[in-house]
Amino acid sequence: DQQVKQNSPSLSVQEGRISILNCDYTNSMFDYFLWYKKYPAEGPTFLISISSIKDKNEDGRFTVFLNKSAKHLSLHIVPSQPGDSAVYFCAATTRGGSEKLVFGKGTKLTVNP
Amino acid sequence: NAGVTQTPKFRILKIGQSMTLQCTQDMNHNYMYWYRQDPGMGLKLIYYSVGAGITDKGEVPNGYNVSRSTTEDFPLRLELAAPSQTSVYFCASSADIRSSYSNQPQHFGDGTRLSIL
């Protein structure tokens, strides 16, 4: 049973345009959500997070939106750059315990020059 | 600042062999984790530890063992390697954030790519 779902295995956008990566979750106990970025042959790198008490968090070109009623979050990258090409993982956890992360399968983003 | 260091980076094992994947962190983090990532899949939790001397099973613990004798080290042991354990293994660590909702994400190592033939 997949608790965190990223239904788009890949996404291709033009440099300068917006990239929107989507993530759905099923577990209502999740209260903290994270996005990780992964380049080949490297470990995942933390990108941005959002607590369930918020509906938006912004950090430079990256914004994460959370819709709790729909159990849906999205990552917006504006403007997209070729260096953003990577696999993006959505992850979720329940805070106050062991902080175990549940990951989606990832979306491979390609930003074309 | 090394962060989370995993060794080795690559390894090929024969079926039935055993090995230990090493993980060490220099951030004085209480929490440590082992994940595996199979092709086209997300990371799945194998084992985790909330402090020295404390370990617990994650989603896919079968075929693995761990120990946590120090805060810094969290080795993962494969006793009888099987082809199904061919994967990329990631170790991660994080601070204990129970007292606040501050941003304390997990920090990952660069992984160990393990092939079992």
Side-chain angles (χ1 to χ4, degrees):
Chain A
D1 178 30
Q2 224 180 325
Q3 298 185 69
V4 177
K5 301 177 183 179
Q6 293 178 257
N7 292 321
S8 298
S10 63
L11 174 67
S12 183
V13 300
Q14 287 300 120
E15 181 178 5
R17 305 294 292 268
I18 184 172
S19 296
I20 300 176
L21 293 87
N22 293 303
C23 178
D24 297 294
Y25 63 97
T26 58
N27 189 339
S28 300
M29 299 301 293
F30 290 146
D31 59 5
Y32 193 64
F33 305 90
L34 307 90
W35 285 94
Y36 279 84
K37 177 179 179 180
K38 186 182 180 304
Y39 293 117
E42 294 184 8
T45 303
F46 170 73
L47 188 59
I48 193 169
S49 63
I50 188 166
S51 166
S52 60
I53 62 175
K54 297 184 176 181
D55 55 19
K56 177 183 173 181
N57 189 27
E58 193 171 353
D59 184 2
R61 297 186 296 115
F62 303 92
T63 303
V64 56
F65 296 91
L66 176 62
N67 183 333
K68 285 176 59 180
S69 61
K71 293 189 177 67
H72 176 83
L73 61 155
S74 61
L75 174 68
H76 293 211
I77 306 173
V78 183
S80 300
Q81 300 174 353
D84 296 329
S85 297
V87 177
Y88 289 78
F89 289 99
C90 173
T93 188
T94 303
R95 307 224 88 178
S98 60
E99 309 300 308
K100 296 181 291 183
L101 294 178
V102 179
F103 284 85
K105 292 183 178 182
T107 296
K108 183 177 182 180
L109 173 66
T110 302
V111 180
N112 301 302
Chain B
N1 190 0
V4 178
T5 302
Q6 292 184 238
T7 57
K9 293 190 183 301
F10 306 95
R11 184 73 183 268
I12 297 175
L13 282 182
K14 294 182 179 179
I15 295 172
Q17 286 185 320
S18 61
M19 79 162 293
T20 299
L21 282 67
Q22 301 292 344
C23 175
T24 187
Q25 52 93 7
D26 61 359
M27 296 172 282
N28 201 32
H29 284 167
N30 286 329
Y31 295 177
M32 295 188 74
Y33 313 83
W34 275 105
Y35 295 89
R36 60 176 285 175
Q37 185 191 13
D38 299 329
M41 302 295 287
L43 283 73
K44 293 189 176 181
L45 184 65
I46 305 171
Y47 269 95
Y48 66 98
S49 169
V50 298
I54 306 170
T55 63
D56 208 345
K57 296 178 181 179
E59 183 182 358
V60 289
N62 291 344
Y64 307 95
N65 280 301
V66 293
S67 59
R68 184 93 183 270
S69 57
T70 67
T71 299
E72 296 78 19
D73 301 306
F74 191 40
L76 178 71
R77 178 84 176 163
L78 282 72
E79 291 294 349
L80 289 171
S84 62
Q85 294 177 305
T86 294
S87 190
V88 181
Y89 292 83
F90 291 100
C91 179
S93 72
S94 66
D96 184 346
I97 52 81
R98 294 186 206 193
S99 61
S100 74
Y101 271 64
S102 63
N103 189 357
Q104 296 284 352
Q106 291 183 17
H107 301 260
F108 285 81
D110 284 338
T112 294
R113 185 175 297 275
L114 181 63
S115 295
I116 299 165
L117 306 175

